[in-house]
Amino acid sequence: MFGHKYVIDAVNAKGLREFVAGLGLDIDCYARSVGIDPAVLGESGQRISLTKYAALLESLAAATGDDTIGLQLGEAYTLCDAGIFGLAFINAPTVGHAVYFYEQYLHLIVDSPFHDLAVDEKQVTVSWSYWPIIPAVNQFVDFRAILFCRVLRRI
């Protein structure tokens, strides 16, 4: 599957073990079932397949019967856990700086060519898509969207 060439920094999964334990599930079992070494989850600098990580989140949603797992995980995620990227993003002085930083440096934690930033005199539009790279991506998109919203609320 060509989607496996795209990777994310495993720091995106920081806190996932505790979050999933709170649901009464064993993250190691679910990680292995999609081909992820559970030992790398949450480790900054380690790269994992974006397709496999998205599949992991989708499998957790299926196991719990809750299609808001990505949103819940995004709300539970500690924003500064994304290392220097997260610290710089959450400490941007303005929304404009945050959006610009996000677009310019997102590649440090998520490897995907399908991100866009459009600026005109009335609005700024940030868009991203993982389809058709990753067929089942709802939970990951929800996770990323809620993180973005949380940062904007802080500014």
Side-chain angles (χ1 to χ4, degrees):
M1 183 182 308
F2 73 99
H4 289 307
K5 77 178 187 174
Y6 298 102
V7 295
I8 62 171
D9 192 308
V11 75
N12 281 278
K14 190 139 186 162
L16 183 63
R17 182 171 304 281
E18 295 80 12
F19 176 78
V20 172
L23 299 173
L25 301 173
D26 177 9
I27 190 60
D28 291 358
C29 175
Y30 286 92
R32 281 192 293 274
S33 75
V34 297
I36 295 175
D37 176 1
V40 303
L41 291 174
E43 295 298 319
S44 182
Q46 295 289 323
R47 305 301 258 182
I48 55 178
S49 160
L50 182 52
T51 302
K52 290 178 182 180
Y53 188 65
L56 173 60
L57 297 182
E58 294 296 330
S59 70
L60 294 171
T64 60
D66 185 347
D67 68 353
T68 67
I69 291 295
L71 295 172
Q72 293 174 50
L73 180 59
E75 190 61 35
Y77 190 83
T78 302
L79 293 172
C80 62
D81 279 348
I84 192 71
F85 176 88
L87 289 172
F89 189 47
I90 66 175
N91 288 297
T94 67
V95 171
H97 286 96
V99 170
Y100 177 79
F101 180 85
Y102 181 84
E103 178 59 27
Q104 292 300 306
Y105 299 103
L106 184 64
H107 68 277
L108 297 174
I109 61 169
V110 178
D111 179 19
S112 173
F114 302 104
H115 288 88
D116 189 40
L117 175 69
V119 179
D120 66 32
E121 60 190 46
K122 294 185 179 183
Q123 69 183 13
V124 174
T125 304
V126 177
S127 61
W128 67 90
S129 175
Y130 297 103
W131 188 90
I133 295 173
I134 305 167
V137 72
N138 293 341
Q139 301 307 317
F140 184 72
V141 169
D142 288 353
F143 169 69
R144 300 298 309 168
I146 200 73
L147 289 180
F148 194 80
C149 289
R150 286 181 60 207
V151 168
L152 294 181
R153 281 191 309 213
R154 291 174 53 102
I155 297 174

